[in-house]
């Protein structure tokens, strides 16, 4: 029997529900419970189109939605194509933001665009939705779809859809905030959920204007998370430094340091810890022949002695002893 998606949160319109193909199967067993739960929780506010039979019967993937009052974050990862069958005649007043993570989403003649739009990995598209439009995806797809109330952003988007790169500083900050919301939403109080929703809207405005206020305390956690995400992707990069990440996010080093001031470690300490974690994982991997000197060089420690001292401080064992203990 298919389990019903969970809806967690402190209020009826604040929470998260999740359907995962790994736990509920594929095809209708995954798709229909998710759609039923969406319609129960958000259908009056944001009605869904009708999806094609191949989408419903052949779906293989995971879907997750987080609702913050009148704002929703939907994330889809699938190894089967998704397409609409009928879009209905509902009148909408919402802003949608599509962020491509892998594959592509094709939107058929979205309002104000004047032609079809393709949102591929690493790009985004934001537009004012007045009437639903058909869409289809590539067979392998990963995307985040944000839904914002029209009143909040219509004056910035109506008649002028926005496109851009998901690697822009404003997009990176928005995505970092989104990840934090997805991770913590079930623990948020009503006041916390409201604050997260407002921050999400402000960051969406920043994306439209290609600027965010790095002095705004509300955005500090998202800035720190974005810096961590960028650092994690560059741990073997010799040029990785607080200055390099600050430049990538278009903020000053001082602003970046301030974002980490309330955390347990500085940004430099975060980079060092993550490099040591990656080195520890590599040294203990099955069949690994990585030497201590090679690990020190790969993760850019000054020399083997420096690497061994740092490793011993974090793991209370030398790299050699740590590897023997875990292999």
């Amino acid at each position: 029997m298919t389990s019903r998606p969970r809806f967690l949160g402190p209020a009826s319109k604040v929470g998260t529900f999740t359907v995962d193909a790994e736990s509920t199967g594929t095809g209708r067993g995954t798709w229909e419970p998710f759609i039923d739960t969406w319609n129960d929780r958000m259908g009056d506010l944001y009605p869904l189109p009708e999806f094609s039979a191949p989408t419903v019967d052949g779906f293989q993937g995971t879907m997750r939605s987080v609702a913050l009052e009148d704002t929703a974050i939907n994330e889809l990862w699938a190894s089967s194509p998704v397409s609409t069958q009928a879009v209905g005649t509902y009148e909408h007043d919402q802003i949608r933001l599509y962020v491509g993570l892998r594959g592509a989403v094709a939107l058929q003649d979205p309002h104000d665009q004047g032609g079809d739009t393709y949102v591929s990995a690493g790009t985004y598209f934001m537009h004012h939705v007045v009437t639903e439009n058909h869409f289809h995806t590539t067979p392998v797809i990963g995307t985040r779809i944000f839904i914002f109330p029209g009143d909040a952003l219509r004056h910035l988007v109506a008649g002028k859809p926005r496109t851009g790169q998901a690697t822009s500083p404003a997009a990176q900050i928005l995505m970092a905030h989104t990840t934090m919301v997805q991770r913590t939403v079930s623990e948020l109080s009503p006041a916390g959920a409201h604050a997260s929703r407002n921050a999400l809207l402000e960051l969406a405005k920043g994306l439209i204007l290609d600027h965010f206020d790095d002095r705004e305390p509300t955005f500090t956690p998202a800035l720190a998370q974005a810096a961590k995400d960028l650092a994690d992707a560059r741990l073997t990069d010799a040029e990785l430094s607080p200055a390099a990440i600050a430049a990538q996010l278009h903020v000053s080093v001082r602003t970046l340091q301030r974002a980490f001031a309330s955390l347990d470690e500085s940004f430099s300490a975060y980079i060092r810890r993550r490099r040591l974690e990656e080195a520890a994982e590599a040294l203990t991997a099955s069949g690994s022949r990585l030497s201590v000197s090679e690990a020190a060089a790969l993760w850019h420690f000054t020399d083997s002695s420096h690497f061994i001292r740092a490793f011993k401080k974090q793991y209370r064992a030398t790299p050699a002893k740590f590897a023997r203990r875990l292999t």
Side-chain angles (χ1 to χ4, degrees):
M1 181 177 179
T2 300
S3 60
R4 186 170 182 79
R6 294 173 295 125
F7 186 85
L8 308 173
S12 60
K13 286 191 176 180
V14 179
T16 178
F17 54 94
T18 304
V19 177
D20 188 327
E22 293 179 0
S23 60
T24 61
T26 59
R28 291 181 180 271
T30 293
W31 188 262
E32 290 185 341
F34 180 87
I35 298 301
D36 288 346
T37 305
W38 175 275
N39 288 335
D40 287 346
R41 300 293 182 175
M42 299 291 286
D44 291 342
L45 189 61
Y46 299 126
L48 292 172
E50 181 182 344
F51 292 89
S52 66
T55 294
V56 176
D57 294 331
F59 181 76
Q60 296 181 7
T62 61
M63 297 172 290
R64 188 184 190 200
S65 290
V66 170
L68 293 170
E69 299 177 350
D70 56 0
T71 298
I73 306 163
N74 307 297
E75 188 160 329
L76 166 67
W77 293 90
S79 55
S80 60
V82 176
S83 62
T84 53
Q85 177 170 293
V87 295
T89 57
Y90 303 109
E91 290 188 2
H92 295 296
D93 181 21
Q94 59 184 253
I95 307 301
R96 277 190 213 160
L97 167 63
Y98 296 81
V99 181
L101 304 175
R102 69 178 182 184
V105 177
L107 306 174
Q108 180 181 315
D109 198 22
H111 179 69
D112 291 339
Q113 176 65 12
D116 296 349
T117 294
Y118 298 88
V119 187
S120 57
T123 68
Y124 68 81
F125 173 71
M126 181 186 289
H127 72 127
H128 180 216
V129 179
V130 177
T131 56
E132 193 69 56
N133 53 273
H134 283 286
F135 76 89
H136 65 271
T137 74
T138 52
V140 176
I141 181 65
T143 184
R144 275 179 175 168
I145 305 172
F146 299 76
I147 305 177
F148 303 108
D151 288 347
L153 301 172
R154 186 192 317 113
H155 64 291
L156 296 173
V157 180
K160 42 190 174 184
R162 306 297 176 123
T163 61
Q165 297 298 309
T167 54
S168 71
Q172 299 261 12
I173 300 297
L174 173 63
M175 294 294 276
H177 177 72
T178 300
T179 298
M180 291 190 296
V181 168
Q182 290 174 321
R183 187 172 62 242
T184 63
V185 66
S186 63
E187 304 166 7
L188 293 176
S189 65
H194 184 68
S196 293
R197 174 262 188 195
N198 289 345
L200 191 63
L201 287 174
E202 289 302 316
L203 288 170
K205 290 178 184 177
L207 182 65
I208 296 168
L209 302 173
D210 195 26
H211 172 76
F212 72 97
D213 186 356
D214 57 29
R215 297 167 298 178
E216 171 55 54
T218 304
F219 303 152
T220 296
L223 177 58
Q225 185 60 52
K228 290 179 180 180
D229 293 343
L230 290 172
D232 285 345
R234 297 180 58 180
L235 292 174
T236 59
D237 183 353
E239 302 301 317
L240 173 60
S241 67
I245 297 301
Q248 198 168 344
L249 290 171
H250 293 189
V251 299
S252 68
V253 174
R254 184 177 180 182
T255 296
L256 189 59
Q257 291 171 336
R258 193 164 56 240
F260 280 81
S262 62
L263 303 181
D264 295 334
E265 59 187 351
S266 67
F267 188 36
S268 294
Y270 175 81
I271 293 172
R272 183 171 59 253
R273 175 173 63 81
R274 288 290 296 116
R275 279 176 161 168
L276 287 168
E277 288 173 351
E278 291 291 301
E281 184 176 345
L283 286 166
T284 57
S286 177
S288 173
R289 295 186 178 181
L290 187 71
S291 69
V292 171
S293 60
E294 288 170 338
L298 183 58
W299 282 281
H300 303 289
F301 288 84
T302 306
D303 52 38
S304 296
S305 296
H306 179 213
F307 174 66
I308 292 170
R309 287 196 301 273
F311 194 98
K312 189 172 181 179
K313 184 177 180 180
Q314 181 158 319
Y315 291 103
R316 299 185 179 182
T318 64
K321 287 183 178 179
F322 184 86
R324 286 198 300 270
R325 191 171 67 197
L326 296 183
T327 55

